[in-house]
Amino acid sequence: MNSTLPALLFLVPFLSALLCGALGGYLRGAARWIALGALAATAALSFAGAALAAAGERLVTHMGGWAPPLGIEWRLDALSAFVAAFVAATALIVHGALGDVRRRELGEREPGFNTCALLLVSGLMGMIASADLFNLFVHLEVASLSAYALVASGGRGAPRAAVRYLVIGSLGASLYLLGVGHVYAATGTLNMDDAAARIAAGADPRLTILALAFMISGLAIKMGLFPLHGWMPGAYARAPLSAAALMAPLVTKVSAYALIRILFWVYGPAGLGRAPIVADLLCVTGAVALIAGALLAAREADLRRLLAYSSVSQMGLVVLGIGLANAAALTGAILHLANDALMKATLFVGAAELAHRFGVREVGDLARVRARAPWTAAAMAVAAFSLVGLPPLCGFFGKWYVLMGALESGRPGMAFAIVAGSLASAFYAFRIVERLYFARSGEACPEREGPAGLVAACALLGGGVAALGLGSDRVVALLVRAAIPGGV
Amino acid sequence: MDPRVLGAMAAPFAAAAAIYLGRRRGAEAWTYAAAGVSLALALALLPAVRAGVAPEVRLMGLLPGVDLFFRVDPLGLTFALLAAGLWVVTSVYSSGYVRAMGLENRRRYFACFAASIGCALGVAFAGNVLTFLVFYEGLTLATYPLVAHKETDAALAGARRYLAYALTGGLALTAAAAWTWMLAGTLDFVPGGFLPPRLAGGALAGLFALYAIGYGVKAAVMPLHAWLPGAMVAPTPVSALLHAVAVVKAGVFGCLRMVQYVFGPDTLSSSAAPAVLIAACGVTVVAGSIAALRQDNLKRRLAYSTVVHLSLIVLGAALLAPHGTVGAMLHMVNHGFAKITLFFCAGAIYASTHAETVSRLGGLGRHMPWTFAAFTVASLALVGFPGLCGFVGKLILARGAIEASQMVPLAILLGGSLFTAAYLLPIVRAAYFDPAPNDAVREAPGLMVGPLVATSALVVVFGALPAVINLQYELAARAAAQIFGGAP
C-alpha cells in the first residue's frame, strides 16, 4: 500500500530538529515542547505503522512518485515496523524522562542538544524505513554525526571520547559505503529488492561477497561487536547522562537491524549459501562477544561503562542468533533487539537519575542510594535480572529462542556459549543488585529519588521489561513471526 | 480455572507486596493472614485430588504452545501442603525470633519470606517444565536476600556462593527445557513421562545430566551441595523452612518430576541414568555423614544432615519402583517435620545461650526442657525410630529397594540411618548427661518454643496416628499408580 507514513517517520523528527534549532535561541521553552512533541508524533506514527503491519499491510513511500528501481523507496514491513515501534517508544520515554537532568547538565546548550537528539532519532528511523542501500548510508551518517555531537557535549573527557568515537565510527561508515559501492558495481542497482533479485540471479559472486564483507565489517563497528567495540564504553560514560541514555539503547540495535536486513533481504539464503563462512564467522564472533562482553563488564567499576560492556555482550547474542540463520534463532535475535533496548533504557535512565540526584557514578557507590531510591532501584534490579535471563522477564525469551535455534541446527557448542554467557552476565548484574540492596555505606545520603516524572519513567521501563517478557508470545505471534524472511 | 489454586499461590505474593509497600508493623499480620489463606486453600484442594480430579489453571501463553500452566496432582499437592503448613508455624517462630534477636530490616525479611513460599507453591503446582522453571528461578531470587540478610561480609559471601550455584542449576535447567521442547514438542508434565520413547543414547545422557545438575543443585546432591552449609549464615527461621524444607525440597521435588513425569520409568530403566543417580546419592550419604560428624557448628551439622536425607529421597525416585516413589514422597514430608524442629531448636538455643557449637550444648537439657525434648524426638525420628514420622518413609523406601531387588540402595538407606544416629544422638546424650553450665540459662521465648513443640507433635502424629499416615500414603500411592499404572 502506498503511504507517506514510512517517510514521515524520519521527516517529522528531521523537520522538527530544524525548527528546534532555529527557535531554540529565542524560545527555549517552545523548543523543548517541539522536541517532545516530535518524538511523541514519531512514536504515534510508528505504532500506527506497527498496527498496520500486524494486520498484514506493507507500507511503501516512493519519493516524488518515482517507482523503484529509479526512485528512492522507504517501506514498513513487519520487521521494520517492529523495530521502529520500540525505537520510537524508547526514545520518547527516555527523552521525556530526562528533562530535568538535561536542563541541569546542559544549561545554555539545551536547544542545540535537543536538535542533535532529534536528528539522531531521524537518522535511526530513516535507517529502519529505508529500502535503499545508499539511502541507508545517508541516514546512518545523519545518526552518527549527531551521535558524535551528543557525546562531545559532555563534560570532562567527552571531547576525547567523541574524537575516538568519530574516528572509529567514520571507519565503520566508510567500510559500509565501500560495500555499497561493490554491490552497485556487481548489480547496477541500489534498491534492496532489485539488488536481491540480481544477486539471486547470479551477479558476480566475488564482488557481491566482498561487498557483504565490507558491509558487515562496517555495521559490526557501528553495533559495537566485540572486538570492534572500543568506542562504546568511553562514549557512553563520557557523554552527557541524557545523551547516553538515548544512544545506548538505540544506536547499536538499529545497526544490527540493518545487518539483518542486508543479510536476509538483499542476499537471502541463496546469497549466503555461496559463502557459508559468513554465517559461521558471525556465530563464532557472536559467541565470543557474548562471553567476553560479560567478563569485561564484571570487572568494570564505572556504572555506565559496565552497562556499555553489557551491551557488547547482549549484541553478541543477537549476532549469534543472526549467524545461526534459522527461524528460531532469528526470532530470538529480532526479539532481543527490543529486549536489550528496553533493559538498557531502564538501566541508563536509572544510572542518569542516580548520577544526577546522588552523584553516584561507580558501582561501588551505589550503596549510598540504599533505601533512598526504592523505585529506581527496583526497576534497575528487574532489568539486571532480565539481563541474566531469568524467566519470565524479557531477556529470558530472547535467549530461549536463540538457544532453540542453536539446538535445532545441531550446534551444542553454541548452546553452551549462550548458557556460559548468561552465567557470566550474572556476575555483573548481581554486583549491581548487591550494591543497591545489601551493601552498607558509611555516609548516608540526605537526598531522595526524584523528580517524580523521572522515577515514574524508570518504573515504567522496568515494568516494560516484565511486560515484554510475559507478552513475548503475543509479540512474536503478531510481528516477529511475520518478520522472518521466507526460506530461512 | 480453579480459584483455589490461583488463590493459594497469589496470597503469599500479595502479602509480599503489601509488606514491602506497607508499614513496618503490618508485616507480621500480613504474613499470618497469607499463611492461613494459603494453607486453607491448599487443604480445600485435598478432597478433589483424593477423588482423582486435577484442578487446573491456564494463564497467558509464554511460548507458542506453552502456557503459564498449573495443574494440581497428588505429588504437587503433597509438596504444597508441606510448604504452606510449615509456613504457618514458621511465621509464629519468626515473630519470636526477630524480637529475641533484634533483627533489622524486618519488612524485607517478611516480604522475601512470603515471596519464597509463593514460589515454592508455584513450583508445586507447575504443570509444565517452563512454569516450573519460572518459579524455580524465582525461588532463587526470593531467598537470596534472606541469605544475605545480616549484610555482614560472611553473609554476602554465602549469598554470592548460593547465587552462583543456584543460577548455574537454573541455566542447566533452561538448556534442558529447550532441548526437551525440541525433542518432544511439548513441555507439559505427564505421569510416566512425555519424552519420545526411543531417544538416542547421547541425547538421553546429555539431557539427563542437564536436568540432574538443574535439580541436583537445589537438592544439594554432592558435588553440588557446597552452597547449603554456606547458606546457614541466614537467620534461623530461613534455614529452618527454606534451607531444610522449601528450597531444597523444590530440588528433590524436581528430581521426582524429572524421573517420573519427564523421562518416565520406562525410558530410564533401560539406561545407566538411575545407576548414576544412585551412585551419586550413595557417595553423598557417606561423604555428607562424615562431614556432619566433623562439624562442631550445630546449624552446619544439621545442614549436612539435610544433604544426607535429601539424597535418600532422590534415591527413592531413582529406584523406579512404585514403593520407591511412595517412600520418597513420604520421606520428603516427614524429613521436613523433623528437620524444621531441629532447626527451630538450634535457633531457640542460640537465642537463649548464644551457643552455636555442639560442644557448648552440654547439660542444657535440664535448663531448656521443652527445646531438648523436641530435639530428642526429632533426632530419633530422623534415625528412624518406630512410632515417629521418619520411620514410615524409610520403611517404605526399603520396601521399594527390595521390590526393585536392588541391595545397594538398601544398604545406603540403612547406613544413612546409622550415620544419622552417630551425628545426632551424641548431642542428645551430652545435653542430658553432661554437667550443666554454671550460669543460669532459661527456655527461649514462648513464641519460639510453641512452634517447635508444635512441629515435634507433628513428628509424633505423622509417625503414630494411622488415619494421618493412611491419608499421606493414599496421596503418594495415587501418584505412584498414575506413574506406574495399576490401582492406587
Side-chain angles (χ1 to χ4, degrees):
Chain A
M1 182 170 82
N2 267 303
S3 157
T4 47
L5 200 148
L8 284 177
L9 283 180
F10 70 89
L11 280 176
V12 166
F14 189 80
L15 297 175
S16 311
L18 300 185
L19 198 61
C20 199
L23 288 179
Y26 318 102
L27 301 161
R28 201 185 297 171
R32 248 175 232 150
W33 286 107
I34 290 171
L36 202 58
L39 288 175
T42 313
L45 284 171
S46 67
F47 272 91
L52 286 170
E57 285 286 353
R58 190 164 169 281
L59 307 175
V60 291
T61 308
H62 294 152
M63 188 52 93
W66 291 88
L70 284 180
I72 299 170
E73 185 187 5
W74 287 271
R75 82 174 154 220
L76 222 49
D77 57 6
L79 176 61
S80 42
F82 172 67
V83 178
F86 77 73
V87 167
T90 312
L92 174 65
I93 296 174
V94 169
H95 190 85
L98 294 172
D100 283 338
V101 177
R102 239 183 347 260
R103 231 160 287 167
R104 196 159 107 179
E105 68 177 346
L106 293 162
E108 294 284 302
R109 292 172 296 151
E110 199 198 335
F113 180 92
N114 282 341
T115 306
C116 287
L118 285 177
L119 282 176
L120 173 72
V121 173
S122 162
L124 296 176
M125 300 310 281
M127 283 172 75
I128 295 166
S130 177
D132 180 287
L133 286 169
F134 181 76
N135 250 46
L136 182 70
F137 168 74
V138 174
H139 292 296
L140 174 76
E141 278 297 52
V142 171
S144 303
L145 291 173
S146 37
Y148 307 143
L150 286 175
V151 172
S153 61
R156 216 168 57 84
R160 205 183 138 89
V163 168
R164 195 180 158 94
Y165 183 19
L166 174 83
V167 172
I168 302 179
S170 301
L171 181 67
S174 314
L175 282 169
Y176 175 76
L177 185 61
L178 202 55
V180 174
H182 279 76
V183 171
Y184 190 66
T187 65
T189 181
L190 290 169
N191 183 279
M192 287 183 184
D193 286 347
D194 213 25
R198 296 191 193 184
I199 289 173
D204 186 351
R206 277 180 309 167
L207 271 182
T208 51
I209 295 300
L210 191 60
L212 184 61
F214 280 130
M215 289 192 286
I216 290 178
S217 320
L219 291 172
I221 290 179
K222 289 287 179 191
M223 60 197 276
L225 180 62
F226 183 88
L228 305 172
H229 63 282
W231 58 270
M232 226 158 93
Y236 292 165
R238 297 298 185 177
L241 296 165
S242 35
L246 192 62
M247 287 162 57
L250 305 179
V251 173
T252 51
K253 313 306 169 279
V254 175
S255 305
Y257 155 82
L259 181 64
I260 295 175
R261 184 59 95 186
I262 289 169
L263 279 175
F264 296 101
W265 268 264
V266 178
Y267 282 79
L272 285 175
R274 280 187 214 132
I277 191 172
V278 171
D280 287 339
L281 260 179
L282 285 173
C283 275
V284 173
T285 320
V288 171
L290 173 60
I291 295 170
L295 294 179
L296 285 168
R299 47 182 283 268
E300 182 56 58
D302 184 287
L303 179 57
R304 285 194 291 163
R305 286 179 72 91
L306 180 151
L307 295 177
Y309 283 125
S310 155
S311 270
V312 172
S313 169
Q314 301 295 317
M315 292 315 287
L317 181 72
V318 171
V319 171
L320 175 54
I322 296 172
L324 287 168
N326 57 27
L330 210 51
T331 304
I334 294 169
L335 188 62
H336 209 61
L337 292 177
N339 294 342
D340 194 43
L342 207 50
M343 296 186 286
K344 284 293 140 56
T346 311
L347 285 163
F348 269 96
V349 167
E353 191 205 326
L354 298 184
H356 168 69
R357 202 77 172 188
F358 304 92
V360 171
R361 284 167 188 276
E362 306 247 309
V363 180
D365 293 340
L366 285 174
R368 280 187 10 222
V369 306
R370 190 177 154 157
R372 300 261 149 207
W375 288 98
T376 314
M380 289 176 79
V382 167
F385 297 149
S386 176
L387 280 174
V388 182
L390 296 178
L393 304 172
C394 64
F396 171 79
F397 292 96
K399 273 187 185 149
W400 173 274
Y401 284 109
V402 180
L403 190 61
M404 285 303 299
L407 292 171
E408 273 173 16
S409 63
R411 295 189 177 198
M414 292 298 149
F416 180 77
I418 295 168
V419 172
S422 300
L423 195 59
S425 310
F427 285 103
Y428 69 80
F430 278 97
R431 244 178 88 209
I432 299 177
V433 174
E434 188 189 285
R435 290 292 114 187
L436 274 174
Y437 283 99
F438 304 109
R440 297 187 187 217
S441 143
E443 43 183 330
C445 229
E447 290 271 356
R448 291 199 73 83
E449 68 184 339
L454 182 48
V455 177
C458 202
L460 178 69
L461 288 165
V465 168
L468 183 59
L470 287 169
S472 79
D473 192 35
R474 306 270 316 150
V475 172
V476 168
L478 278 178
L479 280 172
V480 180
R481 174 101 26 87
I484 305 295
V488 165
Chain B
M1 263 322 182
D2 192 309
R4 291 168 298 183
V5 180
L6 214 52
M9 286 184 299
F13 287 116
I19 292 166
Y20 197 74
L21 299 174
R23 291 161 164 277
R24 189 180 140 173
R25 292 187 174 280
E28 289 166 54
W30 282 114
T31 302
Y32 291 137
V37 169
S38 276
L39 180 60
L41 289 176
L43 281 172
L45 287 167
L46 193 55
V49 172
R50 283 181 72 187
V53 184
E56 291 182 357
V57 171
R58 200 176 281 279
L59 297 176
M60 74 265 284
L62 291 177
L63 295 168
V66 184
D67 299 334
L68 197 60
F69 172 52
F70 303 95
R71 190 167 187 278
V72 183
D73 63 358
L75 176 60
L77 187 63
T78 304
F79 181 47
L81 283 172
L82 176 70
L86 289 181
W87 188 29
V88 175
V89 191
T90 312
S91 302
V92 180
Y93 186 83
S94 276
S95 293
Y97 185 86
V98 295
R99 289 199 181 81
M101 308 300 298
L103 210 65
E104 287 177 27
N105 286 320
R106 290 189 197 175
R107 266 193 324 183
R108 181 174 82 195
Y109 172 84
F110 281 107
C112 289
F113 215 112
S116 304
I117 299 296
C119 289
L121 294 176
V123 163
F125 293 155
N128 60 35
V129 182
L130 191 65
T131 308
F132 191 104
L133 181 65
V134 168
F135 288 96
Y136 196 68
E137 295 276 44
L139 194 54
T140 303
L141 275 190
T143 44
Y144 161 67
L146 295 171
V147 180
H149 190 84
K150 289 176 188 161
E151 294 175 7
T152 57
D153 286 344
L156 289 185
R160 271 187 220 131
R161 173 182 278 208
Y162 172 52
L163 263 185
Y165 274 84
L167 288 177
T168 309
L171 282 168
L173 197 54
T174 306
W179 199 352
T180 308
W181 198 36
M182 194 186 81
L183 288 172
T186 172
L187 286 176
D188 287 354
F189 292 128
V190 174
F194 65 85
L195 277 172
R198 269 186 294 283
L199 219 51
L204 181 71
L207 200 52
F208 188 83
L210 283 174
Y211 273 114
I213 292 171
Y215 295 130
V217 165
K218 280 214 171 78
V221 174
M222 280 184 181
L224 306 170
H225 70 289
W227 62 271
L228 186 56
M232 290 297 128
V233 294
T236 303
V238 175
S239 309
L241 182 54
L242 299 175
H243 295 126
V245 183
V247 172
V248 292
K249 293 282 156 65
V252 168
F253 179 75
C255 283
L256 284 164
R257 279 274 189 241
M258 159 186 77
V259 172
Q260 327 280 26
Y261 291 79
V262 176
F263 287 95
D266 290 341
T267 311
L268 284 180
S269 58
S270 56
S271 76
V276 173
L277 208 53
I278 288 172
C281 291
V283 170
T284 307
V285 167
V286 175
S289 299
I290 292 170
L293 278 170
R294 294 157 59 97
Q295 274 297 337
D296 193 35
N297 181 303
L298 178 59
K299 274 176 76 181
R300 290 174 73 94
R301 183 178 286 200
L302 294 179
Y304 276 110
S305 160
T306 305
V307 169
V308 170
H309 280 265
L310 294 171
S311 272
L312 294 181
I313 304 169
V314 176
L315 193 68
L319 287 174
L320 304 180
H323 278 97
T325 304
V326 173
M329 282 176 67
L330 259 58
H331 201 56
M332 182 172 86
V333 174
N334 294 341
H335 167 257
F337 293 144
K339 193 47 67 68
I340 200 171
T341 307
L342 291 177
F343 271 106
F344 280 171
C345 292
I349 295 164
Y350 183 67
S352 338
T353 67
H354 285 278
E356 282 184 304
T357 52
V358 173
S359 44
R360 285 183 56 198
L361 302 183
L364 287 178
R366 268 158 282 171
H367 295 297
M368 304 178 71
W370 289 103
T371 304
F372 274 92
F375 194 96
T376 310
V377 169
S379 299
L380 290 174
L382 276 188
V383 173
F385 202 74
L388 299 172
C389 67
F391 173 72
V392 187
K394 283 192 182 179
L395 182 72
I396 298 171
L397 276 176
R399 182 174 163 189
I402 295 166
E403 208 170 66
S405 44
Q406 301 213 43
M407 292 306 123
V408 177
L410 188 63
I412 295 171
L413 193 63
L414 298 177
S417 299
L418 282 181
F419 272 123
T420 307
Y423 57 73
L424 283 181
L425 295 185
I427 304 176
V428 176
R429 185 199 58 75
Y432 284 113
F433 299 110
D434 278 4
N438 294 327
D439 46 335
V441 174
R442 282 193 298 154
E443 194 66 91
L447 279 177
M448 297 174 77
V449 176
L452 66 87
V453 171
T455 51
S456 62
L458 284 177
V459 168
V460 178
V461 166
F462 275 77
L465 271 192
V468 177
I469 299 173
N470 276 335
L471 177 64
Q472 200 190 1
Y473 184 85
E474 183 199 319
L475 273 182
R478 189 172 282 282
Q482 286 173 358
I483 297 160
F484 294 93

